[in-house]
Amino acid sequence: MSSKHQTNYPALYTLITVFFFWGFIAAGNSIFIPFCKSYFLLDQFQSQLVDFAFYTAYYVGALLLFIFGTSKQKDIVGSWGYKKSIVFGLLFSALGAGAMIIAVEANLYAGMLAGLFIVALGFSLQQTAANPFAISLGNPKTGADRVNLGGGINSFGTTIGPLVVAFALFGTTASVTDDQIKHLDLGKVILLYICVGLLFIAAAAMFRFSKKVPAGISDEPMEKANKALRTLVIMTGLLAIMFAPVFNSYKSKEALTVETLERKIEKIKTENFGEKIKDLSGDELTKLRTEVKNNETEIKEIKGDLEKYRMYWLFGALTVVVGGLLFSYKSAQKNNEGWGAMQYPQLVLGMLAIFTYVGVEVAIGSNLTELLKLKEFGAFSVSDSAPYISMYWGSLMIGRWAGAISVFHLNSAKKTLALVIVPLIAFSVIIGVNTLAQKDMTPLYYYIVCVVLQTIAFFISKDKPARTLTVFSVFGVTAMLIGLFSTGTVAIYAFLAGGLACSIMWPAIFSLSIIGLGKYTSQGSAFLVMMILGGGIIPPIQGKLSDIIGIHQSYVVPVLCFGYLLFFAVVVKSILKKQGIEVDEIEAEGGH
């Protein structure tokens, strides 16, 4: 093998540190969301703005790079060099960590959202550079091996992220109630982000001054796609218009009336329904209870109309994305000039699939803690839910470790053995890490049954991306329906299994979306990264739906998401066949 095809392992090991950061922060948000809900007295939608800020930043960052690249007619990240781009991204994320520290010190929720947005903007730049950089660090034919290694490290970050964030928020306390959360000292959160910020800076320095890491400069021209750019910019403007009324509604006359009535009820209960209740006469007690009941009825009526109003606008935001992509799909079929990579139907439908996939992956995990608070699900406190959140995100690690087996070109017997053993090892790692963190994992021992079912799904999939996406979409729909129509341990396991279903979907969707794009492959990849936006829109929609119909019933959203992914898996096969592409010959690549 020539030296230019030898893998640059020192550079690769340096590179995969950024994959860890993406997973650590993203999964840690699943604990941060319920904490913010209790600490700042938010509804489920408002708490989901953590995801909105974080994942919208990926879209904004990728769109800005596309706009600048189009104006200069060159790949901005490639012209900077992958190394320098990652350094810039890490420093930007460090700036976001600094903003988080200031916001926590000021006790300002909006400031925390801004900090997370800046952190994720840095991640967007890092992710745009990291995947092609990993492929360039050796033989292109083994590029998928290096990307999958990064994915495995990313998944390890998602496994320990919830545990570290839970420790930073709650310490070693076994259980923390919602009332206790309101009075927590946030000093540990400041310490956490000081450490995270310093790690970003240290990683940036490691990249900048490492002589083993090449510049990674690429001079590939940016293919023109003026119509695609115009459509994406219009979609962005319409999304801002759709979300503005939702945000403003929290400062409306109706919202302020609800807040006043809630404070009035709290005051009556605090001043009269404690020890003092024994001093009240029967008439006084009846009068107070009637007043509370009337106020609660008025709150219910006002909130009912208010929540429906908000939901209409949120569905409008979803319609903008779906409608904008379908418009692009139809328009490009009539005249493909100016659409660039979006002239290919597999890419446009794939963009919607990535949007849906990231949305459902994040929505399941981000709403899980609220679900576990329900009596029929165990009435877990926020701190008690940490091992379950860790197992959900760890489920993605189980699937990704198993999915990476195929890149090692093992013989049939060894591959079969590895497909059985590797998921069990990954499961043991999750149990072990949580046990070391002094979490009780005995309720999750039997979750291994779900892991075995996933292993069977791998054998059925046979490393074919279309078949893999079909099988795992069915797995996801089935798991969500079981969770939706049951309670207790069975339902918890079913919802956790959503992580197993999602684990292997990114590379399958990615491969099916960019195959056959030719010179537009790089541009198509950038469009797919933009659609991480789904993680910023679908979770808040589920959050708002839960405010209306209940958190358990809101899991109908993941059912619909997995349903679309199943649709894409079936339809894209026929689209590619018409283009003369044999789907069964495609190898699943790509990293998330």
Side-chain angles (χ1 to χ4, degrees), residues 84-243:
K84 188 181 288 187
S85 296
I86 290 173
V87 171
F88 288 159
L90 286 164
L91 292 176
F92 214 83
S93 293
L95 184 66
M100 276 291 289
I101 293 166
I102 295 170
V104 172
E105 188 69 51
N107 210 29
L108 190 63
Y109 181 56
M112 294 182 188
L113 296 180
L116 279 172
F117 182 85
I118 296 170
V119 168
L121 268 181
F123 284 0
S124 177
L125 181 53
Q126 293 166 41
Q127 184 144 337
T128 302
N131 286 328
F133 198 16
I135 293 171
S136 73
L137 291 176
N139 190 335
K141 292 181 180 179
T142 59
D145 299 29
R146 295 184 288 280
V147 172
N148 276 296
L149 176 62
I153 299 299
N154 173 274
S155 294
F156 183 65
T158 65
T159 302
I160 69 171
L163 299 175
V164 174
V165 173
F167 176 76
L169 293 172
F170 314 120
T172 56
T173 308
S175 181
V176 179
T177 64
D178 285 353
D179 189 58
Q180 289 172 318
I181 286 175
K182 298 173 190 173
H183 304 98
L184 283 176
D185 177 16
L186 295 186
K188 286 184 178 178
V189 180
I190 293 173
L191 181 61
L192 171 66
Y193 274 94
I194 287 174
C195 292
V196 168
L198 290 174
L199 284 172
F200 286 145
I201 293 171
M206 186 168 60
F207 267 91
R208 172 65 181 82
F209 298 110
S210 173
K211 295 180 180 178
K212 297 287 187 180
V213 180
I217 293 174
S218 171
D219 294 321
E220 289 187 14
M222 175 73 77
E223 299 295 337
K224 291 184 179 180
N226 295 330
K227 290 181 181 177
L229 175 59
R230 186 165 59 248
T231 301
L232 289 168
V233 170
I234 291 172
M235 282 171 56
T236 305
L238 289 174
L239 283 173
I241 291 171
M242 293 297 169
F243 272 98

Side-chain angles (χ1 to χ4, degrees), residues 232-532:
L232 289 168
V233 170
I234 291 172
M235 282 171 56
T236 305
L238 289 174
L239 283 173
I241 291 171
M242 293 297 169
F243 272 98
V246 181
F247 296 148
N248 291 335
S249 72
Y250 283 93
K251 298 176 183 177
S252 65
K253 179 182 176 182
E254 293 81 2
L256 293 175
T257 301
V258 168
E259 193 176 325
T260 301
L261 290 171
E262 286 176 338
R263 279 203 299 265
K264 190 175 179 181
I265 292 171
E266 185 67 26
K267 185 177 180 182
I268 292 172
K269 289 181 177 180
T270 303
E271 293 180 355
N272 300 287
F273 290 176
E275 285 292 322
K276 196 178 176 182
I277 195 170
K278 59 188 177 183
D279 300 326
L280 298 174
S281 66
D283 288 342
E284 289 174 323
L285 193 58
T286 300
K287 184 180 177 182
L288 288 171
R289 284 175 173 165
T290 301
E291 186 177 355
V292 168
K293 187 176 181 180
N294 289 339
N295 287 335
E296 287 176 340
T297 301
E298 188 176 352
I299 287 172
K300 189 175 181 181
E301 290 175 357
I302 296 173
K303 285 186 80 172
D305 293 337
L306 200 55
E307 299 296 14
K308 288 177 184 176
Y309 170 81
R310 291 165 177 163
M311 200 68 205
Y312 291 147
W313 285 105
L314 287 173
F315 271 126
L318 183 63
T319 302
V320 166
V321 177
V322 176
L325 290 176
L326 292 180
F327 166 78
S328 303
Y329 176 88
K330 291 290 185 183
S331 299
Q333 297 309 296
K334 294 177 182 176
N335 180 7
N336 61 22
E337 186 180 349
W339 285 102
M342 290 178 74
Q343 68 187 270
Y344 294 91
Q346 65 266 36
L347 177 75
V348 179
L349 295 179
M351 288 170 70
L352 190 53
I354 289 290
F355 176 87
T356 307
Y357 154 73
V358 177
V360 70
E361 175 187 292
V362 177
I364 294 171
S366 295
N367 287 287
L368 195 57
T369 300
E370 192 65 22
L371 181 78
L372 294 173
K373 287 182 181 179
L374 297 179
K375 185 178 179 181
E376 57 268 34
F377 282 85
F380 292 95
S381 68
V382 175
S383 56
D384 288 333
S385 67
Y388 291 88
I389 302 300
S390 177
M391 182 59 77
Y392 171 73
W393 290 105
S395 294
L396 279 94
M397 182 179 80
I398 293 171
R400 286 170 184 169
W401 283 17
I405 292 170
S406 60
V407 303
F408 295 106
H409 307 294
L410 302 174
N411 63 40
S412 182
K414 288 181 179 178
K415 185 175 180 180
T416 299
L417 184 63
L419 271 175
V420 173
I421 294 176
V422 169
L424 299 179
I425 293 173
F427 178 73
S428 300
V429 168
I430 300 164
I431 295 291
V433 168
N434 279 274
T435 302
L436 287 173
Q438 299 182 335
K439 302 294 182 183
D440 179 18
M441 297 301 287
T442 50
L444 287 166
Y445 285 165
Y446 291 104
Y447 183 65
I448 198 168
V449 173
C450 298
V451 177
V452 171
L453 290 174
Q454 186 206 41
T455 301
I456 294 170
F458 269 112
F459 281 109
I460 296 172
S461 299
K462 297 181 179 179
D463 293 331
K464 312 293 185 187
R467 181 182 289 190
T468 296
L469 190 57
T470 301
V471 170
F472 279 83
S473 295
V474 171
F475 186 91
V477 169
T478 305
M480 293 303 104
L481 287 174
I482 291 172
L484 203 55
F485 292 105
S486 62
T487 55
T489 302
V490 171
I492 292 172
Y493 279 17
F495 288 133
L496 291 178
L500 296 172
C502 288
S503 63
I504 201 65
M505 285 186 169
W506 174 280
I509 297 169
F510 207 94
S511 299
L512 292 167
S513 301
I514 64 172
I515 189 70
L517 266 58
K519 66 180 181 179
Y520 295 105
T521 300
S522 178
Q523 188 182 94
S525 299
F527 287 157
L528 291 173
V529 171
M530 284 183 201
M531 289 299 104
I532 291 177

